[in-house]
Amino acid sequence: MVEQFNINGQIVNVDVQKTKALYEKLPLISDKEHCGCPECIYYTKVITHTSPAIKLFFKQFGIDPRKEAEVWRACENDNGTYYYIADYHFIGEIQDVPELDWINVEEASFGLTNRVGELPSPMIPETFTSPIIELIAKFNLRSGI
C-alpha cells in the first residue's frame, strides 16, 4: 500500500510496508557483511540516540537508520561531534519533480531524489525494485552511549 506525504509542498509516494520488509532482511551497517569498519560501528551505535524528530523522519519512510546506508564520516568537528553523510534508499517516488530541496529536521538535513531508471546500482541492494528514492542524510553526531 502506497502512502502519500506532503514534504516541502511536494507529494512523495512511499511504499512504507515494502521498504520495512526489505530493511528487516538487511544486516546492520556495523556488521562485517555490510561494512564493519570502526566508523560504521560508531554510526550504528549513535544514530539510535538522535532526537525523536529525526527518528520519526526515517520511520515515516520505513527506513531503519542502522541498515542499508553507505556511510561516510566526513570530519571531526571542534566540539567533539563527527559530521556524517549517509545515503539510504526506499521504495517510492517524488511526484512532479526529480528531487526535493534540503529538508532540515533539527540538527540534520535530508535530501530526497528519485532514482527511477537508474537500476541496477552497486549502491542499492538488488532486492529493492523501482521506483526508488535516494535519501541523503547529513548529521553532526555525538556519542549518546
Side-chain angles (χ1 to χ4, degrees), residues 28-30 37-50 55 65-67 84 141-145:
L28 296 174
I29 298 163
S30 57
C37 75
E39 292 175 2
C40 287
I41 291 169
Y42 179 86
Y43 181 86
T44 302
K45 289 179 183 176
V46 299
I47 194 65
T48 61
H49 296 281
T50 57
K55 290 177 191 176
R66 303 167 305 145
K67 297 181 174 185
Y84 272 90
L141 297 174
R142 179 185 309 278
S143 178
I145 47 179

Side-chain angles (χ1 to χ4, degrees), residues 103-116:
I103 302 149
N104 295 315
V105 179
E106 296 177 346
E107 68 272 11
S109 294
F110 298 94
L112 276 67
T113 304
N114 284 329
R115 293 292 303 257
V116 179

Side-chain angles (χ1 to χ4, degrees), residues 35-100:
C35 179
C37 75
E39 292 175 2
C40 287
I41 291 169
Y42 179 86
Y43 181 86
T44 302
K45 289 179 183 176
V46 299
I47 194 65
T48 61
H49 296 281
T50 57
S51 73
I54 292 171
K55 290 177 191 176
L56 181 60
F57 191 83
F58 282 113
K59 185 178 179 181
Q60 72 184 339
F61 302 125
I63 295 172
D64 179 339
R66 303 167 305 145
K67 297 181 174 185
E68 198 274 315
E70 186 67 32
V71 174
W72 299 272
R73 182 187 295 176
C75 66
E76 183 174 356
N77 298 309
D78 292 339
N79 65 359
T81 61
Y82 295 103
Y83 182 65
Y84 272 90
I85 301 169
D87 288 351
Y88 294 90
H89 301 91
F90 61 95
I91 306 301
E93 187 170 19
I94 306 165
Q95 287 184 356
D96 302 324
V97 295
E99 62 186 38
L100 297 182

Side-chain angles (χ1 to χ4, degrees), residues 14-23 61-63 89-91:
V14 181
D15 192 328
V16 176
Q17 295 307 315
K18 187 172 183 181
T19 300
K20 279 184 184 178
L22 290 167
Y23 269 83
F61 302 125
I63 295 172
H89 301 91
F90 61 95
I91 306 301

